[in-house]
Amino acid sequence: MSNTETKETQSTENLFADTNISMKSGHLVKDAELIGDGKFAKFRIATNKEFLDVKGEVQNMANYFNVIVSSNLKDAFAVAQDLKKGDWVYIKGEDSSRSIDTVEGYKDTAVTTFAYKVVLKKEKTEQVNDDTQPEATPQPA
């Protein structure tokens, strides 16, 4: 391998060494909203995590993630701006964190995913109430 090839391989390997890619899927906890004079769509998703506790029983835990999509990303923004509570989405983007002071007086970290891909996996479906009886069909007289 020549010296040039070695340098190219090293630079390519280092190119993605610190890549920040985040992929999540979950259900919206409320309708998406436009912020920043309509330049961004903002929404929050909930994901479920299942794990076994010390007794070997399956436990569930919800995690919540804030997502922002720029209107510069036309395909992702077109999907994101119309999302409704309960929609199941897949997102891909970059996580960004910032330090915040809580109302209790301590420091915390807020993480937001800046999504560049948003896919509506499944729209919320209306639940049918099983307790309702179908209307009686009128009998001919």
Side-chain angles (χ1 to χ4, degrees), residues 23-30 32 42-48 65-67 69 76 79-92 115 117-124:
M23 296 177 283
K24 299 171 181 68
S25 72
H27 293 273
L28 267 73
V29 298
K30 66 179 190 173
K42 174 184 165 186
F43 57 94
R44 186 172 174 88
I45 62 171
T47 64
N48 290 322
F65 298 96
N66 298 313
V67 183
V69 182
V79 174
Q81 67 183 350
D82 295 327
L83 294 173
K84 302 292 181 208
K85 179 179 179 178
D87 285 348
W88 183 22
V89 297
Y90 162 81
I91 62 154
K92 186 174 183 179
K117 181 171 187 159
V118 179
V119 177
L120 177 60
K121 293 182 78 161
K122 186 175 181 183
E123 291 183 28
K124 178 182 175 183

Side-chain angles (χ1 to χ4, degrees), residues 49-113:
K49 177 181 178 179
E50 290 186 340
F51 60 94
L52 294 176
D53 64 12
V54 292
K55 297 178 185 175
E57 296 175 4
V58 176
Q59 299 293 321
N60 289 303
M61 181 175 76
N63 290 304
Y64 299 91
F65 298 96
N66 298 313
V67 183
I68 293 180
V69 182
S70 171
S71 60
N72 293 337
L73 304 166
K74 296 188 186 322
D75 292 340
F77 187 76
V79 174
Q81 67 183 350
D82 295 327
L83 294 173
K84 302 292 181 208
K85 179 179 179 178
D87 285 348
W88 183 22
V89 297
Y90 162 81
I91 62 154
K92 186 174 183 179
E94 297 180 358
D95 290 336
S96 177
S97 64
R98 66 185 187 287
S99 180
I100 58 171
D101 294 320
T102 66
V103 292
E104 294 85 10
Y106 62 91
K107 292 216 177 278
D108 200 356
T109 303
V111 178
T112 300
T113 300

Side-chain angles (χ1 to χ4, degrees), residues 118-136:
V118 179
V119 177
L120 177 60
K121 293 182 78 161
K122 186 175 181 183
E123 291 183 28
K124 178 182 175 183
T125 57
E126 296 297 323
Q127 293 181 347
V128 177
N129 187 353
D130 292 334
D131 297 335
T132 60
Q133 296 293 327
E135 288 185 30

